Amino acid sequence: MWIADGWKDYEVLDTSAGEKLERWGKYILVRPDPQIIWDTPHKAPEWKRKNGHYHRSNKGGGQWEFFNLPEQWDVSYRDLTFHLKPFSFKHTGLFPEQAVNWDWTGGLIQSAKQKAPGRELKVLNLFAYTGGATVACAKAGAAVTHVDASKGMVTWAKENAAASGLAEAPIRYLVDDCVKFVEREIRRGNHYDGIIMDPPSYGRGPKGEIWKIEEKIFPLVQLCTKVLSDKPLFFLINSYTTGLQPAVLSYMLNLEIASRFGGKVEADEIGLPVRGDHGLVLPCGASGRWSRED
């Protein structure tokens, strides 16, 4: 498992009965997590000092209950800064487990820039959400194209870039359907050295296009091979769906990327360490990675 253990502003404090107790900067949140099927005593004192609690409804969805929580606050990861705010369906605008992938992509970009300082490295971030991967790649020295179907998420990503000192960085923001965007990039003849995709299990595009990951992910990977440069650096697929296990991600990358470019494919669960002496790492989905071997 790849573990995002480099945080100082975030930690999972405890887990019990379908909920995780988290510290986001100086604020404590309680949010549901379907992986937490055990019911253990609430020993952590922070359970009684929570600033926000997302209660899931038996009818689906849920709602927040707040206790002295600001509308927005910031957390930092290494030299990156992110705006947080609780919004619909339990989210805060950041998936902290993805830090393990920010480190990986950023490291590959920095290494490539050191070997060829004058080379422009272009990264395509699909389903880019609030831009965690975008700012990580831009900070490392890449030019990033950030694509998401939600205008609000793209605006949030711009704010995160500015908070990280990247307001003038070469980041192109697009509110668009990811599949249609890639199809247009193929026709335009544009190419990228790195591709990141973080598709939802289910979603709709800006014009109501339906996305089901089990049906759409492999055709999208195939499309994306047509916008890779001659010597790409990496290809990253994230999955929060239990149906897409690491072996599935590995097979797709081997079949479509490694067969063409060589290189190395890895796939594993990603997770967050839980404070305490029991050694628990909370699983948070899976990632598949391809990287070039020079």
Side-chain angles (χ1 to χ4, degrees), residues 196-217:
I196 299 166
M197 61 174 67
D198 206 342
S201 302
Y202 179 87
R204 290 184 180 272
K207 295 182 180 179
E209 304 91 340
I210 295 176
W211 166 276
K212 292 182 180 179
I213 193 169
E214 295 86 353
E215 298 174 1
K216 302 291 188 179
I217 184 67

Side-chain angles (χ1 to χ4, degrees), residues 156-185:
W156 197 335
K158 292 180 182 178
E159 295 172 357
N160 282 335
S164 296
L166 297 166
E168 303 303 319
I171 303 173
R172 184 167 59 134
Y173 301 95
L174 293 144
V175 180
D176 206 342
D177 175 81
C178 289
V179 175
K180 292 183 178 178
F181 174 78
V182 173
E183 290 172 340
R184 288 197 298 274
E185 289 292 86

Side-chain angles (χ1 to χ4, degrees), residues 108-127:
L108 289 173
I109 293 165
Q110 289 175 336
S111 178
K113 295 289 282 187
Q114 289 170 359
K115 293 176 182 176
R119 179 185 177 188
E120 182 187 35
L121 296 173
K122 297 171 66 178
V123 173
L124 175 60
N125 188 12
L126 299 172
F127 310 97

Side-chain angles (χ1 to χ4, degrees), residues 86-265:
F87 70 109
S88 62
F89 197 62
K90 79 178 181 179
H91 295 310
T92 64
L94 194 67
F95 292 101
E97 67 274 6
Q98 287 300 321
V100 74
N101 286 322
W102 305 338
D103 290 344
W104 180 73
T105 54
L108 289 173
I109 293 165
Q110 289 175 336
S111 178
K113 295 289 282 187
Q114 289 170 359
K115 293 176 182 176
R119 179 185 177 188
E120 182 187 35
L121 296 173
K122 297 171 66 178
V123 173
L124 175 60
N125 188 12
L126 299 172
F127 310 97
Y129 196 54
T130 59
T134 294
V135 297
C137 290
K139 182 70 80 169
V144 184
T145 297
H146 175 109
V147 186
D148 196 277
S150 167
K151 183 178 180 180
M153 294 301 104
V154 173
T155 299
W156 197 335
K158 292 180 182 178
E159 295 172 357
N160 282 335
S164 296
L166 297 166
E168 303 303 319
I171 303 173
R172 184 167 59 134
Y173 301 95
L174 293 144
V175 180
D176 206 342
D177 175 81
C178 289
V179 175
K180 292 183 178 178
F181 174 78
V182 173
E183 290 172 340
R184 288 197 298 274
E185 289 292 86
I186 293 170
R187 293 194 293 269
R188 295 173 185 134
N190 290 334
H191 295 91
Y192 297 89
D193 303 293
I195 294 179
I196 299 166
M197 61 174 67
D198 206 342
S201 302
Y202 179 87
R204 290 184 180 272
K207 295 182 180 179
E209 304 91 340
I210 295 176
W211 166 276
K212 292 182 180 179
I213 193 169
E214 295 86 353
E215 298 174 1
K216 302 291 188 179
I217 184 67
F218 186 61
L220 179 57
V221 172
Q222 290 179 309
L223 273 181
C224 285
T225 64
K226 299 177 182 179
V227 295
L228 284 170
S229 63
D230 291 337
K231 293 184 177 181
L233 286 179
F234 63 81
F235 200 115
L236 172 66
I237 307 173
N238 287 307
S239 170
Y240 299 100
T241 305
T242 55
L244 295 186
Q245 300 297 334
V248 175
L249 301 176
S250 177
Y251 185 73
M252 288 193 294
L253 290 171
N254 272 301
L255 191 64
E256 294 298 320
I257 313 297
S259 64
R260 177 179 170 186
F261 296 101
K264 179 175 64 174
V265 171

